[in-house]
Amino acid sequence: MALTRCERILACVLHASMGLLLTLFQLLAPRRCTGSPRLPPITNPLLTVSGMQLARKIRRREVSSVEVVQAYIDRIQEVNPLINAMVKDRFSAALQEAAQVDRLLEGQTEGEEALQKRLPLLGVPFTVKEAFKLQGMPNSTGLVSRRGVVSEGDAPTVALLRRAGAIPLGVTNCSELCMWLESHNHLYGVTNNPYDTSRIPGGSSGGEGSILGGGASVIGLGSDVGGSIRMPAFFNGIFGHKPTTGVVSNEGQFPPASGLQQDFLCTGPMCRYAEDLLPLLGIMAGPNAHKYCTAQLLLTHRSATAHVLLTHRSATAHIQFSSRRSPSVSVPRLSLQSEVDLRRLRFFSVPHDGGSPLVSPVDQQLLQAQRRVAEGLQADLGVQVEELHIPQLKYSFQIWGAMMAAPDKDGKPPKAFAELMGDHGKRVWPVWEMAKWMLRLSSHTMAAIGLALVEMFQSSRPSPFVLQQKEELQAYLEELLGTDGVLLYPSHPHIAPKHHHPLFTPFNFCYTGIFNILGLPVTQVPLGLSREGLPLGLQLVAGRLQDHLTLATALHLERACGGWREPATA
């Protein structure tokens, strides 16, 4: 869609201004090492096995939980000095818990199938975004004033994973207050991308993305209010899933959502292997999954046991559940009981947002990768992939910003970002903090200060035009996708940017953020590597509660495109 003359002028002015600001920032910002050391190669084969396969091997006593946990501890200690992803570990406790698992299995009389049903992740290690409560671990969300905060319990999703037998290794870095796409704060420092340490891992779940992409974790927990699962998954070459809004609990993380933001925040899984996504989602959803779709979780894909049975040649993903659907319940229900035949799905491809003057053009390598996926789906499945251009997507940032600032149904506005920066203390004055930052005296990042400054001029009342665009987009996509549609859409306009460069392309996150507002399930899928050896990827979008469609498609694309690639081989 062509830009108007006014939009072209605005785009030129914006890009010129951002270029000038980038130059000034590079003069004022602290110097970073310009080297880009490569991560050492993976030598332990246990690190190249999916979470569900590890659980199966542990149940069958082909490998001990202690061996698996120790393998990941060794890898973290090897790569974390380069990527700064894990900010606090619990290695000693994790090894003790792994030893308990091994002792339990020694005297186990329960059959493997019953054990799998009761403890599907028994003995498997995992990592957690520091914004979530994990007992005995810090819960600062990168805020210097919360340096001494230690969690006294587990967030509900963490508790569900532990109840399924998984063993937490520690917590990973995030952006300050989880509201930026670079995982950088003045408490833990900057997290690096494992494929190129001069580039960002994304945010706010960037520590999770980095440690997973670097082969130092197999499954992880992230949260997403504007792309905080999907952007790190994209930049680090892994899988990430933003569930349908309301399916997974958001409790137990800081800062808690307020205002209408509670309707947009999502908690979901991040992992290196697509077959782990559906089991993790079922576990994290807890009662929302099991009350309405009690699952017998079966998967044979790469010889593993998990949730989906994928037959690649026929491209049919069978998801078997025994459940009774109730048409009138208030709690969201995952639609996981249906068989998914990928050949019967309708596929659509949207290559870009229509040309918003606020947002960068999509990188040609990403456009080409998306075209290859569309062509591959047509060739492998015999489906037609219809290319669409949706005009309302051009206003994605305006829609996201307006809805995030809106009050909840009771008229209560979201808590001010400047107030969150003060953490129940004195409200931060953004102009003063910016002056302090220029003198390198502020305890806050430039990104957080900039967000607080923008908030000063933001209205809590969305314009009628923006609301109209949101409603039209919502209605169009819900009708388009229905219960059998999957949409291909870029994860971000750029391949992983260099450190701090997102400060000068601040609106690019709206490629992911728009789907938080719409409440749709989205899976980020890796698509190999760029000419620079950096991950490529795209988003798969489905209708509400149709999470299984994107997850089944992700399994197919993992085989077709190779899935996660080890950084040392890039």
Side-chain angles (χ1 to χ4, degrees), residues 239-254:
F239 294 88
H241 182 70
K242 183 201 84 66
T244 298
T245 299
V247 164
V248 178
S249 170
N250 292 316
E251 296 300 314
Q253 58 181 301
F254 184 88

Side-chain angles (χ1 to χ4, degrees), residues 341-347 383 484:
D341 184 344
L342 298 182
R343 295 169 300 180
R344 295 182 179 275
L345 296 185
R346 297 175 300 114
F347 289 94
V383 299
D484 63 350

Side-chain angles (χ1 to χ4, degrees), residues 537-555:
L538 59 71
Q539 297 181 91
L540 302 173
V541 187
R544 286 178 181 267
L545 301 172
Q546 307 306 311
D547 300 57
H548 59 302
L549 300 185
T550 64
L551 299 180
T553 306
L555 274 167

